[in-house]
Amino acid sequence: MAMNIESPGNIDPELLSKLQRITSLAALNKKGKLICKIAGKQLLVLQTASGVYVCNNRCPHEGFPLSEGTLNEGCVLTCNWHNWKFDLETGETLIGGDSLRVYPVTLRNGEIWCDLTDPPPERARSRVFLGLEQALAENDYERLAREVTRYRISGGDPLDLIRFAFGWAHEKFQYGITHAHAAAADWLMVYDGLLGTDDPDTLIPVVEILGHIAWDCKRDAGQWEFTQNCETDFSAIALENAIEEEDENAAVAQVRAAIKTGKETDLQLALARVSLRHYQSFGHSPIYVDKVHELVARFGSCATDIFVLPLVRSFCFGRREDLIPEFRAYGVRLATWNGRGSVVPAAETFRHAGVPRALALISDAAGELDALDDVLMEAIAGAMLYFDGNLQNAVDQPVSNNVDWLDFSHALTHLQSARKLAEVQPDLKPNAYLQCGCFLGRNSRFVNWNQNMDRWKVSDSEEFFRNAFYKILDHGEPFYIYPAHYLKFTCAVQQEVRLKPTASWVPTLLAACNRFLNEPIKRKHVRRTIMQSRAFVEAQGF
Ligand code: FES
């Protein structure tokens, strides 16, 4: 701030009591700038034609010394490391994404004085929300990390920031809910496990959630507002019909009615039904409903709208795989399900079963769902462990043969979520298990059972999970989609294994998880995309 010369008599007594001597004007005049270490702070004191300025010496970007920066005649200080610019007069950051603390200066009897008192924690915390919003909008991961740290240090609960970020973002997801939501529920579970420790990793889940939200919003780059219309009362049937007709406004008006009339439980049940009504959106629907339930349970019913409205939007945009030839048998098997079949197949029976055969096997075991569940777990785990990894690298093939690890990981996460939802509404069990058959049937084409997978065996499951989460926390992946799936899958495996530690499928599932986390994944298909695009355009013409 500009030089402020006052006689002692003019100074507010309260301010006077807080002032600390920084240095003398004579000392500053000799050098033009000084670095002073006072009360744990490293301060930069600058002599300019406009007066004396005092600011933090560490650049708010990456902490390099501003004393090595460049000051122009307009009192703009440039950090020469990455060219951030600060107006010392106003304290404004002109270029850059964080603010520099500039201290008002008082000159008394040839001495430079400043009030170095930190703002009260409430003010520091409220400032974090301003910075957080900017960091989210700019998808600035480092600043997100700094703001989360500031909030924590000033006594705030970092979960406040997550709640804020989802509220800020909920109308910025063009097609509704994303993996940012699904992964958030699992990141929060990891966060719970680290709480109470002094482990610096504690803040990773929070920053990853915020970073994923920012990434997805930046990708969608817009604002898609939900209608404010609200029905007078909630009707589950009307909600289901609105979603079936892809009528987002009508569906949202139902959601708002459920919230307004306190019928959140009915709303949750209806959403679970919608999510399993069809084999849709590559099985994401029940996973998203399950994770949204977890998020609402954690953040409270006052946050229902920020999670459920994007969920409903994603349903309205959902893909109906049960309408395409490959999965058409799903609807037929669902319609003829009688719940009486008692022939429980061996897991190996699924090895070469396409979708119709897999669905038939499941229907034949319809009266033995507990036993069938173990068989499906074994079949899912086996297919994933023996996935023919070469096929993810193939380039000269039709789009319908594109396959990667996530086709296999979703088989488990889908079954887990669908099973949970069907526990509450048992008439959804046929949907849950038949959809599992859709995964198994399609994936059977991409498995090579003639591989030696001994190297992926896990001897100590708890040690494996410790190491797995340690690695996931510092995943190093530039795209959020992969760590989100590593996390979701590993959390699901851990829950399943802890629930049934002696089940026959446990060793296979652990080995599959081990392979998934440690075998290279092809993250971008450059040549395949070009070849498939060329084949399409050449066949299609103009
Ligand atoms: S450290 Fe100052 S701009 Fe990067």
Side-chain angles (χ1 to χ4, degrees):
M1 299 288 171
M3 185 166 62
N4 181 6
I5 303 175
E6 297 192 50
S7 69
N10 290 337
I11 299 177
D12 170 45
E14 193 184 334
L15 172 64
L16 190 59
S17 69
K18 291 180 184 166
L19 288 178
Q20 294 198 48
R21 180 184 175 278
I22 307 299
T23 185
S24 70
L25 267 175
L28 179 62
N29 285 340
K30 267 190 219 157
K31 297 190 174 178
K33 66 179 170 189
L34 287 174
I35 298 168
C36 302
K37 291 186 182 164
I38 299 172
K41 295 177 189 290
Q42 194 182 99
L43 303 170
L44 174 61
V45 189
L46 293 161
Q47 174 72 280
T48 78
S50 315
V52 174
Y53 295 92
V54 177
C55 64
N56 284 346
N57 188 39
R58 288 170 68 85
C59 175
H61 181 214
E62 289 185 352
F64 287 107
L66 288 168
S67 53
E68 298 299 325
T70 304
L71 184 66
N72 73 10
E73 288 178 359
C75 292
V76 172
L77 178 61
T78 298
C79 176
N80 289 331
W81 267 266
H82 308 100
N83 203 38
W84 283 24
K85 294 183 188 296
F86 308 96
D87 185 336
L88 296 179
E89 186 61 39
T90 64
E92 198 183 339
T93 302
L94 303 173
I95 296 178
D98 216 329
S99 54
L100 174 69
R101 185 156 179 207
V102 179
Y103 300 88
V105 169
T106 299
L107 298 182
R108 297 173 63 212
N109 305 325
E111 307 281 346
I112 299 168
W113 300 73
C114 287
D115 175 6
L116 303 179
T117 317
D118 285 329
E122 315 81 70
R123 182 131 52 92
R125 289 200 292 273
S126 66
R127 279 213 332 240
V128 164
F129 285 93
L130 296 175
L132 178 68
E133 186 166 351
Q134 197 177 356
L136 287 166
E138 294 174 2
N139 189 22
D140 183 341
Y141 192 85
E142 283 77 18
R143 187 168 186 190
L144 288 172
R146 289 194 296 271
E147 298 295 4
V148 169
T149 309
R150 286 186 186 114
Y151 199 72
R152 173 87 180 273
I153 286 175
S154 60
D157 179 351
L159 299 196
D160 298 343
L161 305 180
I162 295 172
R163 162 76 176 77
F164 172 85
F166 275 119
W168 172 84
H170 80 291
E171 291 183 315
K172 293 182 170 64
F173 300 113
Q174 187 174 7
Y175 302 108
I177 206 164
T178 76
H179 282 99
H181 298 79
D186 289 323
W187 275 127
L188 287 170
M189 202 188 71
V190 175
Y191 177 77
D192 290 343
L194 292 166
L195 266 185
T197 69
D198 199 24
D199 193 333
D201 282 1
T202 310
L203 293 186
I204 291 178
V206 179
V207 179
E208 278 293 294
I209 292 170
L210 298 174
H212 200 159
I213 293 171
W215 177 282
D216 285 355
C217 289
K218 188 92 173 171
R219 176 200 62 198
D220 291 359
Q223 182 85 7
W224 290 273
E225 287 169 7
F226 292 104
T227 179
Q228 292 299 319
N229 291 348
C230 177
E231 292 293 337
T232 48
D233 200 4
F234 172 64
S235 159
I237 300 284
L239 174 65
E240 291 184 37
N241 289 342
I243 290 171
E244 195 70 8
E245 289 161 20
E246 303 179 3
D247 183 345
E248 179 186 305
N249 286 348
V252 167
Q254 286 296 335
V255 172
R256 293 200 190 283
I259 295 170
K260 192 178 74 180
T261 58
K263 293 184 175 164
E264 271 106 345
T265 304
D266 293 345
L267 175 63
Q268 286 194 357
L269 293 173
L271 292 170
R273 301 192 72 78
V274 168
S275 75
L276 283 165
R277 186 168 182 170
H278 303 290
Y279 181 58
Q280 60 193 14
S281 300
F282 188 49
H284 283 83
S285 300
I287 299 172
Y288 284 160
V289 168
D290 181 30
K291 301 301 177 186
V292 161
H293 286 180
E294 287 181 28
L295 292 171
V296 170
R298 183 179 286 265
F299 289 101
S301 59
C302 59
T304 299
D305 59 339
I306 64 172
F307 296 115
V308 171
L309 294 181
L311 176 67
V312 163
R313 172 172 289 166
S314 71
F315 284 159
C316 291
F317 278 109
R319 305 182 313 249
R320 285 281 306 276
E321 279 95 2
D322 55 2
L323 294 178
I324 63 179
E326 187 173 11
F327 301 107
R328 219 169 267 159
Y330 169 77
V332 178
R333 286 288 170 184
L334 189 62
T336 55
W337 181 276
N338 60 21
R340 290 197 297 274
S342 59
V343 183
V344 180
E348 293 75 33
T349 322
F350 286 92
R351 285 189 174 187
H352 305 289
V355 173
R357 175 80 180 127
L359 295 176
L361 290 169
I362 289 170
S363 296
D364 289 346
E368 301 288 345
L369 292 183
D370 286 345
L372 177 67
D373 195 281
D374 281 324
V375 169
L376 295 177
M377 288 294 290
E378 182 79 54
I380 289 170
M384 186 153 183
L385 179 58
Y386 286 87
F387 167 45
D388 185 347
N390 293 322
L391 296 179
Q392 68 171 329
N393 302 324
V395 293
D396 190 8
Q397 60 179 9
V399 175
S400 57
N401 278 358
N402 289 355
V403 64
D404 69 23
W405 278 100
L406 306 192
D407 293 275
F408 289 85
S409 70
H410 276 122
L412 177 76
T413 48
H414 169 275
L415 176 62
Q416 189 189 50
S417 292
R419 190 206 285 137
K420 260 203 252 177
L421 301 181
E423 282 301 317
V424 182
Q425 300 183 85
D427 62 320
L428 293 175
K429 286 187 179 180
N431 310 55
Y433 286 107
L434 287 172
Q435 290 181 21
C436 180
C438 292
F439 277 103
L440 282 170
R442 181 185 189 250
N443 288 345
S444 66
R445 289 194 279 138
F446 308 112
V447 176
N448 174 5
W449 294 99
N450 296 314
Q451 303 177 77
N452 185 335
M453 292 302 180
D454 288 352
R455 66 188 179 284
W456 301 114
K457 274 184 189 159
V458 171
S459 52
D460 180 334
S461 62
E462 288 308 315
E463 186 189 14
F464 168 73
F465 289 126
R466 261 194 311 281
N467 292 336
F469 285 115
Y470 186 78
K471 183 176 176 184
I472 291 169
L473 278 162
D474 192 20
H475 54 76
E477 296 281 348
F479 303 122
Y480 285 93
I481 194 77
Y482 292 102
H485 283 87
Y486 291 145
L487 175 70
K488 280 196 311 165
F489 186 75
T490 308
C491 286
V493 171
Q494 186 183 48
Q495 288 159 3
E496 295 294 327
V497 168
R498 284 184 174 172
L499 215 57
K500 283 190 168 182
T502 58
S504 61
W505 42 260
V506 166
T508 316
L509 187 60
L510 287 169
C513 188
N514 193 14
R515 184 182 173 211
F516 178 44
L517 296 181
N518 292 294
E519 191 159 275
I521 287 186
K522 189 165 185 178
R523 289 169 176 80
K524 187 170 176 179
H525 295 273
V526 178
R527 186 170 290 121
R528 186 178 84 185
T529 303
I530 300 299
M531 291 182 76
Q532 290 178 343
S533 301
R534 194 178 71 170
F536 174 77
V537 172
E538 284 176 356
Q540 191 81 1
F542 292 93

